[in-house]
């Protein structure tokens, strides 16, 4: 059943992405100042949205673990965080490529870029911490603390372009933050890409969870073998 | 080729390369786990007979 759901979600992701990619690359006009390169932002920003939201969702799962002490929630938190870290990496790399073309530099140490990098490093540290601790309850408890700390930083990443309007990074563009500054024809494919990346994220988290259940099965068989 | 278009290609390739690398990593991890599961099962089976 789970495999069937994963297959269905993968097909939906691929179909949605292919259709939307055609619209983005062939249907949309070039932007007046940026020409063709602005299309990178249709992946750069959705990757950030999925990544930062995933960090928050991971923190919620960690919170549920702390409340229930059920390790399933800790595993779900770790899987969600790992997948979110991949989306955050996409955001950083594609942003750097866009910045090289638009600003002439690969990187600028402004508050938005730096806080996103710090956020990525915190959650990379979260995964390293998990590998360093063998005892499941201690690992889950400490991971939850790092997740909370990282998610506060993720919230800062989201808000910083409103708090510091004179950054190298552009300010908010989407209509839900500006009240309708962007043309709907340019904005709609953006949300389709957010949905496509969300579907991909769910599939990847499901694969990670399947691997975690394999790990649990191996551990219980090992205990049986040594009993 | 338009330099602008060149950077668009780099951006899209980089994004999908990261996804591909992660999926590859997941695939490798899963096959390693399945091999390990088979090995531990073989270890346990003679005991349960």
């Amino acid at each position: 059943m789970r495999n069937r759901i994963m297959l269905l979600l993968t097909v939906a992701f691929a179909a949605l992405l292919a259709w939307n990619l055609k619209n983005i690359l062939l249907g949309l006009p070039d932007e007046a100042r940026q020409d063709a390169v602005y299309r990178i932002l249709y992946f750069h920003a959705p990757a950030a949205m999925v990544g930062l939201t995933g960090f928050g969702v991971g923190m919620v799962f960690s919170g549920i673990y702390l409340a229930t002490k059920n390790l399933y929630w800790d595993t779900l938190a770790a899987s969600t965080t790992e997948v979110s870290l991949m989306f955050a990496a996409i955001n950083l790399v594609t942003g750097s490529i866009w910045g090289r073309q638009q600003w002439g530099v690969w990187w600028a140490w402004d508050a938005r870029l730096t806080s996103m990098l710090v956020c990525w490093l915190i959650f990379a540290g979260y995964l390293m911490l998990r590998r360093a601790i063998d005892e499941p309850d201690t690992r889950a408890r400490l991971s939850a603390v790092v997740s909370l700390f990282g998610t506060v930083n993720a919230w800062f990443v989201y808000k910083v372009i409103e708090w510091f309007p004179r950054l190298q990074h552009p300010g908010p563009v989407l209509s839900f933050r500006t009240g309708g500054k962007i043309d709907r024809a340019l904005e709609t494919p953006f949300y389709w890409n957010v949905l496509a990346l969300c579907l991909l994220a769910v599939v990847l988290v499901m694969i990670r969870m399947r691997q975690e259940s394999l790990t649990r099965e191996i551990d219980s068989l090992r205990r049986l073998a040594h009993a | 080729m338009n330099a602008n278009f060149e950077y668009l290609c780099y951006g899209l390739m980089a994004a999908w390369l990261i996804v591909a690398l992660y999926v590859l990593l997941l695939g490798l991890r899963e096959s390693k786990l399945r091999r390990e599961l088979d090995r531990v099962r073989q270890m346990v089976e003679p005991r349960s007979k």
Side-chain angles (χ1 to χ4, degrees):
Chain A
M1 181 63 182
R2 185 198 275 188
N3 286 351
R4 204 171 277 181
I5 293 171
M6 274 166 55
L7 182 68
L8 200 73
L9 289 174
T10 308
V11 169
F13 152 73
L16 181 57
L17 184 79
W19 169 75
N20 202 37
L21 201 58
K22 180 184 146 280
N23 282 350
I24 291 167
L25 294 177
L26 304 174
L28 294 180
D30 287 348
E31 209 258 353
R33 271 192 313 112
Q34 301 185 33
D35 210 0
V37 80
Y38 84 101
R39 291 179 177 88
I40 286 180
L41 306 179
Y42 284 99
F43 292 89
H44 168 73
M49 285 174 88
V50 175
L52 294 176
T53 307
F55 291 143
V57 171
M59 186 203 69
V60 171
F61 291 150
S62 287
I64 298 175
Y65 162 75
L66 289 177
T68 61
K69 299 290 173 200
N70 182 346
L71 282 169
Y72 170 83
W73 294 104
D74 171 62
T75 310
L76 193 54
S79 303
T80 309
T81 302
E82 187 183 290
V83 171
S84 303
L85 194 68
M86 183 207 64
F87 283 108
I90 291 175
N91 171 259
L92 284 168
V93 172
T94 53
S96 180
I97 292 168
W98 179 85
R100 178 71 183 85
Q101 210 285 324
Q102 285 294 298
W103 305 333
V105 289
W106 292 103
W107 187 261
W109 291 104
D110 85 347
R112 183 62 179 277
L113 277 70
T114 309
S115 59
M116 187 63 189
L117 179 64
V118 169
C119 189
W120 192 90
L121 290 171
I122 290 171
F123 284 103
Y126 167 99
L127 294 179
M128 283 190 248
L129 175 84
R130 293 185 66 85
R131 298 190 75 153
I133 302 172
D134 286 331
E135 208 284 302
D137 288 316
T138 312
R139 180 174 60 206
R141 215 172 42 249
L142 292 178
S143 300
V145 174
V146 177
S147 180
L148 174 67
F149 182 66
T151 304
V152 171
N153 187 68
W155 178 247
F156 179 80
V157 174
Y158 176 72
K159 294 299 279 184
V160 73
I161 47 173
E162 292 170 17
W163 294 337
F164 302 97
R166 290 183 174 204
L167 296 176
Q168 178 84 15
H169 189 284
V173 175
L174 297 170
S175 53
F176 75 87
R177 293 183 80 174
T178 61
K181 208 165 111 183
I182 183 173
D183 191 295
R184 188 173 281 261
L186 289 175
E187 193 176 23
T188 308
F190 176 90
Y191 292 118
W192 284 122
N193 257 12
V194 173
L195 180 63
L197 295 190
C198 280
L199 292 174
L200 176 64
V202 171
V203 172
L204 293 174
V205 169
M206 287 174 85
I207 293 173
R208 277 295 288 120
M209 289 301 287
R210 187 173 66 192
Q211 293 181 351
E212 289 297 332
S213 73
L214 282 175
T215 307
R216 272 198 304 274
E217 197 177 339
I218 291 168
D219 286 345
S220 63
L221 283 173
R222 272 201 190 123
R223 275 195 294 274
L224 195 69
H226 292 111
Chain B
M1 193 200 293
N2 182 344
N4 219 324
F5 187 74
E6 195 179 325
Y7 278 93
L8 171 64
C9 291
Y10 293 153
L12 295 184
M13 280 193 293
W16 295 111
L17 186 68
I18 292 170
V19 175
L21 283 176
Y22 183 65
V23 170
L24 183 73
L25 187 84
L26 284 180
L28 289 174
R29 197 189 283 168
E30 183 141 342
S31 59
K32 190 179 157 193
L33 284 171
R34 289 197 184 280
R35 273 201 309 274
E36 180 67 8
L37 184 63
D38 287 342
R39 197 181 66 81
V40 181
R41 267 191 190 138
Q42 280 168 5
M43 227 161 75
V44 173
E45 267 166 15
R47 287 179 162 222
S48 55
K49 279 178 188 170

